[in-house]
Amino acid sequence: MKFKFKGLSPFEEDVTPNFMGEAEMPTVVREFETMENAIEYVAKNRGFMVTDDKKLAFVVRNIQQIN
């Protein structure tokens, strides 16, 4: 199953403290067998996910299963 991991960068959190409507969120798509495996992966990485290009690490705020 594919899962999309979303988060906010510190810059976006400062600019839009309580507004999520138009904020550009970093996302990463990865494959895991179950949602539990995806959560476990994030937990083992102290809540962080690294983008495919390895130029950004962000705190995961949402995990969503996608088709």
Side-chain angles (χ1 to χ4, degrees), residues 23-40:
E24 187 71 27
M25 287 193 266
T27 61
V28 170
V29 175
R30 296 278 196 281
E31 290 194 32
F32 292 93
E33 290 184 24
T34 64
M35 177 67 82
E36 289 78 19
N37 291 112
I39 293 169
E40 185 177 313

Side-chain angles (χ1 to χ4, degrees), residues 4-56:
K4 183 187 289 187
F5 299 82
K6 297 181 188 177
L8 284 178
S9 71
F11 170 76
E12 290 162 338
E13 288 177 341
D14 292 341
V15 173
T16 56
N18 292 315
F19 177 70
M20 297 287 292
E22 296 179 22
E24 187 71 27
M25 287 193 266
T27 61
V28 170
V29 175
R30 296 278 196 281
E31 290 194 32
F32 292 93
E33 290 184 24
T34 64
M35 177 67 82
E36 289 78 19
N37 291 112
I39 293 169
E40 185 177 313
Y41 177 86
V42 172
K44 285 183 179 179
N45 288 286
R46 298 179 191 96
F48 282 87
M49 181 64 71
V50 178
T51 57
D52 293 334
D53 63 6
K54 308 279 191 257
K55 292 185 177 184
L56 176 68

